């Protein structure tokens, strides 16, 4: 993308339309991955969009690429981020790896991201603040204390939530309680299970039709109050935090090089994980063996409990 964005005559960086990027990548991929090329009927099981889109989204999330209106993308400026709990610094931005090697010779690709060992960064760059972005600023918002944040959300539900008018057939509940079964696999369950147990407390809920999320307050199994949640990241933090609040544990497991997490990790944590991994879906990541211990410690710090590795 950076090479396409460079205006050779004026030596400036311009936005690149996704169609142009796709056409260039298509030429490269067709020669090494011929099955991506659709036939005349257009019924190929996989096409170039299936390959490009997930990688593009990951690079946007990391900060290497900036999404602009009307299908345009822009390579982001270069900066360095010292990764918490790691011996590595992430190199963020749209500059090509080949170009970066001119001033950071030991840069290497890890997963979706690029890294360099802290000790291999030249002193002149270490001491120049213009190169660096703060770790927390790069990640974005993370609750300072997850349990305290959950308690605050429940307090807001009680103080400012509205009286519920939902019928029990219109919504589902994300199961975070040990009392409601499904202890090995957290999932969305019908609310009559809470009614049967006469449970009281707060649960994350979603409507079955429009998929509106809300935090619901239950009293003796019946939904009494609700507070709409519009931010998708807040939904993920509630999934994670309510498990801890209800005395359960979010779960993670290695299957050789694949890490599976339930529930899905919030985007802020995922950005750190993506530096060292390749995303398979919302729940799974391919992590090279040399980075697995670091990623495991990171995931554990947010309350995930690791199950025994699959054979």
């Amino acid at each position: 993308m950076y090479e396409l964005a460079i205006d050779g005559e004026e030596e400036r960086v311009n936005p690149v339309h996704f169609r142009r990027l796709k056409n260039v990548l298509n030429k490269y991929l067709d020669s090494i991955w011929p099955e991506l090329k659709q036939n005349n009927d257009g019924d190929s099981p996989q096409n170039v969009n299936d390959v490009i889109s997930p990688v593009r989204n990951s690079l946007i999330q990391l900060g290497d690429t900036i999404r602009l209106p009307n299908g345009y993308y822009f390579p982001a400026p270069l900066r360095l981020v010292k990764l918490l709990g790691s011996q590595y610094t992430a190199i963020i931005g749209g500059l090509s790896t080949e170009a970066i090697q001119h001033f950071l010779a030991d840069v290497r690709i890890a997963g979706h991201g690029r890294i360099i060992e802290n000790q291999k960064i030249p002193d002149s760059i270490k001491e120049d603040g213009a190169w660096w972005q703060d770790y927390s600023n790069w990640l974005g918002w993370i609750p300072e204390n997850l349990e305290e944040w959950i308690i605050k959300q429940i307090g807001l539900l009680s103080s400012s939530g509205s009286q519920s008018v939902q019928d029990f057939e219109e919504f589902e509940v994300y199961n975070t309680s040990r009392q409601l079964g499904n202890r090995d696999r957290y999932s969305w369950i019908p609310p009559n299970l809470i009614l049967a147990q006469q449970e009281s407390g707060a649960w994350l809920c979603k409507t079955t039709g429009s998929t509106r999320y809300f935090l619901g307050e239950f009293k003796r199994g019946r939904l009494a109050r609700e507070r709409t949640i519009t931010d998708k990241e807040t939904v993920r933090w509630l999934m994670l935090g309510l498990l801890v609040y209800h005395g359960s544990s979010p779960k993670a497991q290695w299957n050789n090089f694949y890490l599976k997490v339930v529930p899905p990790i919030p985007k802020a944590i995922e950005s750190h994980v993506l530096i060292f991994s390749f995303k398979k879906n919302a729940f799974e990541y391919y992590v090279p063996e040399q980075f697995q211990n670091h990623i495991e410690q990171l995931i554990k710090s947010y309350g995930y409990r690791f199950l025994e590795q699959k054979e």
Side-chain angles (χ1 to χ4, degrees):
M1 178 180 292
Y2 186 80
E3 292 177 357
L4 293 176
I6 288 292
D7 186 324
E9 295 182 358
E10 299 185 16
E11 296 185 351
R12 66 180 182 182
V13 182
N14 296 315
V16 177
H17 197 276
F18 180 67
R19 189 180 299 110
R20 183 184 177 199
L21 176 64
K22 186 178 74 171
N23 289 340
V24 171
L25 289 174
N26 227 342
K27 294 178 181 178
Y28 285 109
L29 291 173
D30 277 351
S31 61
I32 62 175
W33 204 341
E35 58 266 32
L36 286 179
K37 190 172 184 179
Q38 291 185 331
N39 59 31
N40 293 332
D41 297 328
D43 60 358
S44 173
Q46 191 177 40
N47 59 49
V48 70
N49 280 331
D50 298 328
V51 177
I52 296 175
S53 294
V55 177
R56 177 195 60 193
N57 293 338
S58 293
L59 295 181
I60 292 170
Q61 184 174 335
L62 289 179
D64 286 348
T65 301
I66 300 171
R67 190 198 303 269
L68 301 175
N70 302 318
Y72 284 92
Y73 295 85
F74 191 82
L78 191 70
R79 64 260 193 221
L80 306 181
V81 177
K82 189 172 182 180
L83 298 172
L84 191 67
S86 170
Q87 62 179 321
Y88 298 105
T89 286
I91 301 171
I92 306 298
L95 192 63
S96 69
T97 302
E98 182 180 3
I100 292 173
Q101 287 174 334
H102 290 298
F103 44 87
L104 292 170
D106 295 295
V107 60
R108 59 181 169 130
I109 296 172
H112 283 298
R114 294 171 293 186
I115 59 172
I116 186 171
E117 292 182 40
N118 296 333
Q119 62 184 15
K120 294 182 178 179
I121 301 173
D123 290 339
S124 59
I125 292 179
K126 286 182 181 179
E127 297 167 2
D128 187 348
W131 283 88
W132 297 87
Q133 181 178 8
D134 181 73
Y135 175 75
S136 59
N137 178 269
W138 169 66
L139 281 187
W141 179 82
I142 289 180
E144 186 173 340
N145 183 299
L146 185 56
E147 292 189 57
E148 289 181 3
W149 179 78
I150 286 293
I151 292 171
K152 180 179 179 180
Q153 300 309 304
I154 294 173
L156 289 172
L157 170 63
S158 299
S159 63
S160 61
S162 59
Q163 185 174 355
S164 179
V165 295
Q166 294 288 340
D167 184 89
F168 267 38
E169 295 181 355
E170 297 175 342
F171 72 99
E172 297 174 304
V173 178
Y174 193 71
N175 180 16
T176 52
S177 173
R178 293 183 177 184
Q179 308 302 320
L180 299 177
N182 295 328
R183 298 181 184 180
D184 295 327
R185 183 177 182 272
Y186 302 108
S187 59
W188 295 96
I189 59 174
N192 57 17
L193 293 180
I194 293 181
L195 179 61
Q197 295 287 339
Q198 294 287 291
E199 290 278 349
S200 297
W203 277 269
L204 179 65
C205 308
K206 70 174 181 179
T207 56
T208 54
S210 60
T211 317
R212 177 180 70 89
Y213 291 92
F214 61 94
L215 192 59
E217 180 181 15
F218 290 79
K219 294 183 178 179
R220 296 186 62 80
R222 295 190 177 276
L223 182 62
R225 301 179 70 83
E226 61 180 77
R227 179 168 167 261
T228 297
I229 308 297
T230 57
D231 180 62
K232 291 183 179 180
E233 282 312 290
T234 301
V235 170
R236 287 199 176 193
W237 282 112
L238 286 169
M239 285 181 173
L240 182 59
L242 285 170
L243 280 169
V244 178
Y245 180 78
H246 286 143
S248 301
S249 296
K251 295 182 179 180
Q253 187 173 35
W254 290 109
N255 182 8
N256 294 320
F257 297 108
Y258 284 92
L259 170 67
K260 183 175 182 179
V261 290
V262 180
I265 52 180
K267 292 288 186 182
I269 309 172
E270 185 181 62
S271 294
H272 189 143
V273 173
L274 286 177
I275 291 289
F276 299 96
S277 69
F278 298 97
K279 186 174 181 177
K280 181 180 180 182
N281 53 49
F283 299 91
E284 291 184 275
Y285 305 84
Y286 177 89
V287 185
E289 185 176 10
Q290 68 204 87
F291 304 126
Q292 288 187 3
N293 182 64
H294 170 63
I295 294 301
E296 180 169 329
Q297 296 309 311
L298 174 71
I299 296 298
K300 282 181 176 178
S301 71
Y302 289 96
Y304 282 85
R305 178 172 63 88
F306 274 75
L307 306 177
E308 290 186 10
Q309 183 167 337
K310 292 181 180 180
E311 297 297 332

